[in-house]
Amino acid sequence: MILEVKNVRVKLGSIEALKDITFKIEKNEIVALLGPNGSGKSTILRTIFGIIKPYVGAVYLDFKNIEKFDFRQIAKRIGYLPQENPETNLRVIDIVMLGRTPHLNGFKQPSKKDLEIALNALKSVGMNGFKNRKFSELSGGERQKVMIARVFAQQPEILLLDEPTAHLDISSQIEVMELVSKKVNEGLAAIIAIHDINLATSFCNRILMVKDGKIVRAGKPEEVISRSTIKEVFNADVDVKKFGGKIYVVPKMKTRNNKNRLIHVICGGGSGTEIIYKLSEKGYRISAGVLNVLDSDWQAVMDVEGILIDEAPFSPISNEAYEKNIKWIEKSDAVILTNLSVGIGNILNLKAALKAAEEKKMFVINKTPFKERNFVGKEADELYRLILEKSRVFKNEEEVLDELEKIFG
Amino acid sequence: MKLIALLTILIAIIFVVCLSLGPSSVGFEDVIMLLNGKADSNVKYIIIDYRMPRIITSMLVGVALATAGCSMQALFRNPLADPYILGISSGASVGAAVVIFLGIATTFNIMLSAFIFSLITAFVVYKLGETKIGVPIYTLLLAGVAMASFLSGLTSLLIYLSGKEMHQIVFWIMGGFWAARWEKVWFITFPITFSIAYVFLNAWNLNAILMGEEHALSVGIDVESFKRRIIGVATLLTSSSVAVSGIIGFVGIIIPHAMRLIVGENHKKLIPATILFGAAFMPIVDLISRTITDGEIPVGIITALLGAPFFIYLLRRAKVQ
């Protein structure tokens, strides 16, 4: 079996809905038509099924123009599932039996074999216990599975599915896609109109990205899905991640451009993690120090690609690192002292903080009493007291962020 | 199957009961006498030439309206669609009114004119509803509504202008079987049996169309052509009924709907049940109409009186759901 769509142009009213669509599909393939609503995905499916006739180009099923077939012949070979589920009180089995329609003779008397095929189809989607239920009483996921059983009962060679996962919860989405996958592995082909990028990349062999009635990208998921193609087709900002052999996209936060502001964070032991991520989300550049390598705050700065002034693991802060820290404090627009604990190893961080305080750009997050965090003694107490005197003091991260927003926003 | 057997027996009983009852004193014993060949010519006339064509007409009309209603409800996917949705009743009224207005009213002329006018009306509505991509159901519906209101205006005008013949038109519109004769039976038997057979054989496709046109297409049904044919036979059924009995409302909604509640939506069962129940229901209502008073109440009034509460019941039910 081979289905070819060749140079197809379609007009709906006066609008050119499809502009030169060309692609091919053979058995054992799932092809996704991926695009936003109104891009022409459904029109492509309806044209393949012969409902809409192209004014240029044609669809060929095994090298024969689809217009040469009547609907009954097409329905024997192509199982088309429209997007909207019916509203009906018909029983589940009556609906699945309708899949046998193209195989029945003029008097539409189904045989025992037809019933058997329908029951098997229902079983293959795991709905055999529902055969006498009214369709209208089923949940969204159950309805979709019944409709898929109806298409399976048609015993087609090609499946055309229009948004089969729309309006379904995530477990039903996966279930539906797995059913289709399984059927395709048995020797069918499937063309699925879909707008969920991650479902498309997870289950489809090939993706055709559709925009304004044109195929703008075609290929394997990893070849076509990228930040720039998603931006082009969906006009959405996303990050594309790889996980195992699959790729998936996640939405990117819309950030205000604070990129030219540098915030220095004096932290350690995890006390700075929250503020570092939040600053990064807001679009600030970040420097931090002095941190021991592999400290959890150090990890956070690495994650947000900030500037690190670091020291070997479990080593006290060297003078060299201290100087470097001071240098970045001077460069920064603001400095944040987190709710860190102070020991002999990092007391130089407090000294650096005092320097920043004297420059009037220190923001202190003071959550717990300092004496609980002081493992040095009087010297540290004195330093912290001086810092507090010359700084703006806040109870938590949110307050600091709000204040920064006021100053820089 | 049980229901079908039950309804068939019921129809036989109703047939005999209706033959035996009426304003005249002719009763059940007379029917038996007639079967034995012992009845006098007067009795014979009442039973064979008066009651029998009347019962058969009412059965045919009951079946026709119920089946047409059922097909329209599937096509429009709306349980409140009825056989008159394409303006057929208004067309028939104009047909009858024209003949009466022109003073050439005979039983046959009225019947023929009503029949032809209703066919033309349905055809015009269909053409008005047609678009480039076929005949969408909603444009058909709107065309039907527009046409019906235009034609009822025309009927009112004819009633107004026809002076003392006015009551004749009004009485015709109310609908009834008092003028049933064998010639009417012969006139409608073929179109109605043909159409019923057609709908019966296409019950499967009606199930498909109930799913929506796109779904019906997807299982290989040429929806536009099927729609045309169903509208065609429904028109034939309705026009035949209206031609012989005037406008009898609600039957086309009540019967299919009642059957749907009992046997479900599957037209393989629904159509036979509707046909049989239509045949059982109409003669009973007619019997009521001709025996409840000394004279005769038009059947259309009784069905309307029964139909409205039923409508409200449906509405309440829908609300609960």
Side-chain angles (χ1 to χ4, degrees):
Chain A
M1 187 283 307
I2 179 161
L3 182 91
E4 255 184 299
V5 179
K6 243 186 196 165
N7 305 109
V8 162
R9 287 172 180 273
V10 163
K11 263 191 185 152
L12 295 179
S14 58
I15 297 155
E16 186 159 51
L18 297 183
K19 302 158 188 164
D20 204 18
I21 300 284
T22 299
F23 69 94
K24 238 187 246 189
I25 180 171
E26 292 178 51
K27 67 174 191 172
N28 295 322
E29 257 195 309
I30 306 183
V31 170
L33 299 173
L34 182 66
N37 297 328
S39 57
K41 297 172 302 209
S42 301
T43 310
I44 295 176
L45 295 184
R46 299 182 81 223
T47 308
I48 293 173
F49 198 75
I51 300 170
I52 304 174
K53 307 216 179 322
Y55 74 95
V56 174
V59 176
Y60 299 93
L61 182 56
D62 286 337
F63 310 105
K64 196 175 161 191
N65 192 331
I66 204 88
E67 288 181 29
K68 299 269 193 297
F69 297 87
D70 63 27
F71 281 121
R72 187 164 163 238
Q73 290 167 321
I74 296 173
K76 271 187 188 176
R77 304 191 57 187
I78 303 181
Y80 165 49
L81 186 58
Q83 182 175 357
E84 292 304 324
N85 271 345
E87 286 294 327
T88 171
N89 288 324
L90 280 175
R91 289 180 314 154
V92 165
I93 185 66
D94 296 332
I95 289 176
V96 179
M97 279 299 278
L98 282 175
R100 300 302 300 158
T101 306
H103 300 274
L104 302 178
N105 62 18
F107 289 110
K108 304 281 158 55
Q109 285 303 331
S111 65
K112 270 214 172 98
K113 197 177 151 240
D114 291 310
L115 184 64
E116 205 176 291
I117 292 168
L119 286 173
N120 275 335
L122 205 50
K123 207 167 156 189
S124 73
V125 301
M127 293 286 291
N128 39 341
F130 289 69
K131 67 176 176 145
N132 286 321
R133 292 275 294 278
K134 279 186 184 174
F135 188 73
S136 53
E137 292 167 353
L138 305 182
S139 74
E142 289 163 349
R143 286 179 191 204
Q144 196 61 15
K145 281 189 274 178
V146 170
M147 293 316 294
I148 286 183
R150 191 275 280 167
V151 176
F152 287 175
Q154 252 168 283
Q155 298 185 313
E157 298 161 50
I158 306 167
L159 302 170
L160 303 181
L161 310 174
D162 197 349
E163 298 284 1
T165 58
H167 317 303
L168 297 187
D169 60 37
I170 184 146
S171 76
S172 304
Q173 287 181 348
I174 293 170
E175 220 175 331
V176 163
M177 292 303 282
E178 275 173 348
L179 286 169
V180 174
S181 251
K182 200 175 147 215
K183 211 69 185 174
V184 168
N185 288 336
E186 290 166 13
L188 269 70
I191 304 174
I192 306 180
I194 198 163
H195 61 242
D196 188 311
I197 303 166
N198 289 332
L199 281 175
T201 57
S202 310
F203 289 96
C204 300
N205 312 91
R206 254 192 311 145
I207 291 180
L208 308 178
M209 294 184 88
V210 186
K211 192 195 180 190
D212 298 332
K214 275 182 289 197
I215 294 176
V216 291
R217 286 282 186 294
K220 290 181 186 157
E222 59 270 25
E223 291 165 0
V224 296
I225 300 297
S226 71
R227 262 191 211 199
S228 60
T229 56
I230 302 284
K231 176 79 187 166
E232 182 188 346
V233 174
F234 287 90
N235 191 27
D237 291 304
V238 295
D239 276 328
V240 176
K241 310 249 175 184
K242 282 203 169 140
F243 187 78
K246 302 283 183 191
I247 63 170
Y248 62 99
V249 301
V250 289
K252 200 158 142 185
M253 294 287 186
K254 280 237 162 30
T255 55
R256 195 173 317 143
N257 193 4
N258 279 322
K259 289 248 183 312
N260 42 2
R261 301 287 180 187
L262 176 69
I263 310 287
H264 187 82
V265 185
I266 297 171
C267 53
S271 64
T273 306
E274 185 180 342
I275 193 82
I276 287 166
Y277 283 120
K278 284 188 170 157
L279 286 169
S280 164
E281 272 171 25
K282 298 255 181 211
Y284 294 105
R285 282 165 64 221
I286 294 162
S287 61
V290 177
L291 287 166
N292 288 109
V293 173
L294 298 182
D295 183 296
S296 53
D297 287 343
W298 182 87
Q299 198 68 53
V301 181
M302 289 290 275
D303 272 355
V304 302
E305 296 171 0
I307 292 147
L308 269 168
I309 299 100
D310 52 11
E311 192 57 78
F314 308 111
S315 312
I317 296 170
S318 63
N319 269 328
E320 195 191 340
Y322 170 75
E323 293 294 341
K324 203 173 162 196
N325 207 14
I326 297 289
K327 228 168 73 190
W328 279 98
I329 286 169
E330 283 165 357
K331 277 190 197 173
S332 67
D333 295 292
V335 179
I336 296 171
L337 178 66
T338 63
N339 194 51
L340 80 177
S341 300
V342 177
I344 296 290
N346 68 348
I347 191 153
L348 282 179
N349 274 348
L350 275 192
K351 284 195 175 150
L354 183 58
K355 196 112 182 167
E358 281 160 356
E359 285 183 29
K360 300 282 174 211
K361 55 182 178 186
M362 176 52 90
F363 298 75
V364 178
I365 299 171
N366 191 8
K367 282 185 186 169
T368 48
F370 185 69
K371 60 177 189 244
E372 290 172 19
R373 304 188 263 127
N374 181 2
F375 300 96
V376 180
K378 263 199 174 156
E379 188 193 352
D381 269 337
E382 184 59 19
L383 274 171
Y384 200 73
R385 194 182 57 76
L386 286 170
I387 293 167
L388 290 184
E389 262 175 25
K390 294 168 184 169
S391 308
R392 280 168 268 194
V393 183
F394 303 90
K395 281 197 209 72
N396 55 47
E397 282 80 359
E398 291 303 328
E399 284 184 12
V400 180
L401 288 168
D402 288 346
E403 186 67 19
L404 289 175
E405 202 94 315
K406 269 183 221 159
I407 298 168
F408 299 127
Chain B
M1 281 315 286
K2 252 192 231 162
L3 185 75
I4 287 174
L6 202 72
L7 282 171
T8 312
I9 295 167
L10 191 66
I11 289 168
I13 294 170
I14 288 168
F15 190 77
V16 175
V17 169
C18 289
L19 270 187
S20 319
L21 290 173
S24 70
S25 61
V26 175
F28 185 62
E29 313 86 65
D30 298 299
V31 177
I32 300 294
M33 297 250 287
L34 182 70
L35 285 176
N36 294 332
K38 288 180 200 159
D40 65 45
S41 64
N42 201 22
V43 169
K44 205 170 163 184
Y45 172 78
I46 288 179
I47 293 176
I48 303 280
D49 287 330
Y50 182 71
R51 285 186 193 166
M52 204 177 288
R54 181 163 184 158
I55 295 163
I56 293 174
T57 306
S58 67
M59 281 182 170
L60 283 171
V61 167
V63 171
L65 290 176
T67 311
C70 193
S71 332
M72 284 305 187
Q73 285 156 20
L75 208 58
F76 283 79
R77 283 187 297 290
N78 186 334
L80 300 181
D82 80 353
Y84 303 136
I85 205 159
L86 298 180
I88 289 175
S89 53
S90 324
S93 302
V94 172
V98 163
V99 170
I100 294 167
F101 175 71
L102 293 176
I104 50 167
T106 64
T107 306
F108 188 79
N109 283 353
I110 294 178
M111 175 175 76
L112 195 65
S113 173
F115 184 69
I116 290 170
F117 266 81
S118 53
L119 288 183
I120 293 172
T121 306
F123 182 75
V124 171
V125 166
Y126 185 86
K127 282 290 161 194
L128 285 176
E130 210 165 25
T131 69
K132 256 190 236 164
I133 51 160
V135 183
I137 284 301
Y138 67 93
T139 62
L140 203 59
L141 188 69
L142 291 176
V145 170
M147 193 69 179
S149 73
F150 173 74
L151 291 174
S152 36
L154 208 56
T155 309
S156 300
L157 183 69
L158 287 167
I159 291 173
Y160 180 75
L161 293 176
S162 52
K164 65 177 172 26
E165 312 299 336
M166 176 193 273
H167 71 281
Q168 210 185 337
I169 302 179
V170 173
F171 210 53
W172 184 90
I173 289 173
M174 283 175 177
F177 298 104
W178 62 86
R181 297 292 177 271
W182 281 111
E183 56 174 333
K184 286 193 171 182
V185 174
W186 303 135
F187 183 78
I188 61 171
T189 300
F190 175 72
I192 288 181
T193 45
F194 165 80
S195 305
I196 296 293
Y198 187 84
V199 173
F200 180 76
L201 291 174
N202 280 282
W204 184 279
N205 289 4
L206 285 174
N207 278 350
I209 210 95
L210 201 62
M211 307 274 292
E213 294 185 9
E214 194 83 358
H215 283 276
L217 264 176
S218 74
V219 295
I221 292 167
D222 187 340
V223 170
E224 283 308 321
S225 129
F226 180 64
K227 234 164 37 178
R228 230 177 358 251
R229 283 177 279 144
I230 285 295
I231 289 173
V233 295
T235 300
L236 212 50
L237 285 170
T238 315
S239 301
S240 307
S241 309
V242 174
V244 296
S245 64
I247 296 155
I248 298 172
F250 291 102
V251 177
I253 298 179
I254 298 174
I255 292 174
H257 211 97
M259 290 301 103
R260 203 169 278 130
L261 293 178
I262 297 170
V263 302
E265 293 241 354
N266 188 344
H267 286 75
K268 281 278 196 194
K269 291 177 189 159
L270 181 58
I271 294 288
T274 299
I275 291 172
L276 291 174
F277 193 61
F281 178 82
M282 209 66 233
I284 295 180
V285 181
D286 183 44
L287 183 66
I288 296 171
S289 89
R290 64 192 163 97
T291 54
I292 199 165
T293 61
D294 287 343
E296 171 154 347
I297 299 175
V299 167
I301 293 176
I302 295 178
T303 57
L305 289 177
L306 288 175
F310 187 77
F311 232 80
I312 293 164
Y313 158 75
L314 284 185
L315 202 67
R316 303 294 299 180
R317 223 177 95 93
K319 260 193 196 163
V320 170
Q321 280 175 352

